[in-house]
Amino acid sequence: MRTLLGMDDADLRELFRLMLVARRLDEEATALQRQGVLPAYAPARGQEAAQVGSAAALDLTRDFAFPTYRELGAAVAMGVDLVAYMATHLNIWHGGLYDASATRLAPFNAVVGGPVTHAVGWAMGAQLDDTGGAALAYFGDGASSQGDVHEAMNFAGVYRLPVVFFCQSNGWAISMPTTEQVAGGSVADRAAGYGIEGVRVDGNDVAAVHEATLAALERARTGGGPAVIEAMTYRMGPHSTSDDPGRYRSAAEESSWAEADPIARAARSLAAEDVSAAEEHAVAVARETAEKLRGLPAPPAAELFTFVYREPTTALLEQQRAWKESQDA
């Protein structure tokens, strides 16, 4: 979905529908992890507006997005097959089952700051090939302190690459508050040091996020250079399903941010019947996705040794031989 700056009611209804699908599927995924279906999961509750609003601004005929392990909302907005996407969380394939090239969404990246360097590399290729496309790189405020991120921004600034650095500043780098790990208090302000555009946006306002991202992508595609967007939002749940946020943040803080819930906020601008229809749709999508996810067959065990290296190493071949012998015993 792409719009001109300024949206009509139909656009807002669609963004809300996508956000609600992301919320209900996120809840379903957390339940699946508690039931032992998923070995681990990183909830995105509270960040739906930042993810959906930004990803909906992409032109999927030429742009490419580079996610972390938490961008469920981006996958929903980009129309990625949700069963294939969620299969990545099963951790039994080499990556997920969706086609990254066709969907324009790169595979999960669990390396902190990793998507940023990949996005800059892709943007360099897009510039050299004159594709007219731009990269959208997702990362968090914690990742913004990684050296790789600084190097990527500097490189992009020097070569004026078509890339948008999208920081979901959710207040916490796991248990470390942003105020204690981001010097100066703003990721967006760092952009000036690299000679690129930097803007802060209300990350819980889906329309504001969409407009800021659309403008940055259009500028990047037309030679205006890279940009940093810092979407101010809040991780309402734990960092992962193995995390207990109650150990490092207060109930009062969580309650205060709950009032800014992007889902509830968007719902207030819609008619009750639109909200009801979106809820019915989201619940159905989440249930169907979970059911199909449970029914996916496990890959052949022999694939454990496939696509690990371009040319199998001696050690890998020895492991494969030992595995085959154990199967024949």
Side-chain angles (χ1 to χ4, degrees):
M1 169 187 173
R2 298 176 70 250
T3 72
L4 296 175
L5 298 186
M7 294 186 224
D8 59 24
D9 290 344
D11 294 326
L12 291 174
R13 285 196 298 272
E14 176 63 7
L15 289 174
F16 177 75
R17 185 185 69 83
L18 295 169
M19 289 167 59
L20 202 53
V21 168
R23 172 67 62 88
R24 297 297 172 248
L25 185 53
D26 183 75
E27 294 169 346
E28 193 69 46
T30 299
L32 289 172
Q33 192 282 325
R34 300 308 189 200
Q35 295 163 19
V37 177
L38 303 180
Y41 182 68
R45 183 181 180 87
Q47 297 178 218
E48 295 90 354
Q51 295 181 7
V52 169
S54 57
L58 291 162
D59 179 345
L60 299 183
T61 66
R62 52 182 173 167
D63 298 335
F64 217 103
F66 294 81
T68 70
Y69 43 79
R70 199 189 302 274
E71 270 66 59
L72 172 59
V76 171
M78 294 174 71
V80 178
D81 181 279
L82 294 176
V83 178
Y85 173 86
M86 293 302 296
T88 306
H89 290 293
L90 291 172
N91 200 31
I92 54 177
W93 285 276
H94 294 292
L97 296 179
Y98 69 94
D99 185 334
S101 179
T103 61
R104 315 298 287 177
L105 179 69
F108 282 30
N109 196 323
V111 176
V112 178
V116 178
T117 51
H118 291 180
V120 168
W122 184 93
M124 172 62 86
Q127 184 183 77
L128 292 173
D129 291 341
D130 194 23
T131 66
L136 181 62
Y138 287 101
F139 63 106
D141 44 301
S144 74
S145 296
Q146 292 290 112
D148 286 359
V149 173
H150 293 281
E151 293 172 15
M153 290 183 179
N154 184 65
F155 189 89
V158 168
Y159 290 98
R160 310 304 294 167
L161 299 181
V163 56
V164 175
F165 300 100
F166 192 88
C167 177
Q168 293 175 81
S169 191
N170 65 19
W172 293 91
I174 306 183
S175 59
M176 177 69 73
T178 305
T179 53
E180 295 182 21
Q181 63 93 26
V182 175
S186 172
V187 176
D189 285 349
R190 293 176 178 171
Y194 307 113
I196 64 180
E197 186 82 12
V199 62
R200 261 191 175 186
V201 64
D202 182 347
N204 284 3
D205 182 337
V206 68
V209 170
H210 181 75
E211 292 185 0
T213 310
L214 185 62
L217 287 169
E218 292 285 7
R219 184 170 56 248
R221 295 191 202 100
T222 53
V228 176
I229 296 176
E230 184 179 18
M232 307 306 293
T233 183
Y234 190 73
R235 166 168 55 81
M236 295 174 69
H239 173 76
S240 70
T241 46
S242 62
D243 174 42
D244 177 11
R247 298 179 61 185
Y248 54 82
R249 67 188 190 190
S250 69
E253 176 186 315
E254 293 182 348
S255 177
S256 174
W257 272 99
E259 297 177 5
D261 183 333
I263 300 290
R265 181 172 177 174
R268 287 194 288 270
S269 64
L270 298 174
E273 56 268 27
D274 292 331
V275 174
S276 179
E279 178 68 39
E280 183 177 349
H281 169 74
V283 169
V285 170
R287 288 177 177 171
E288 180 181 5
T289 302
E291 181 179 347
K292 290 183 177 179
L293 189 66
R294 287 177 178 274
L296 286 175
E303 288 189 3
L304 179 66
F305 305 95
T306 307
F307 308 122
V308 179
Y309 299 105
R310 180 176 180 179
E311 298 293 337
T313 63
T314 300
L316 183 66
L317 291 172
E318 175 58 27
Q319 292 170 13
Q320 186 177 33
R321 182 197 61 78
W323 174 79
K324 286 182 177 178
E325 289 182 353
S326 71
Q327 298 303 300
D328 296 336

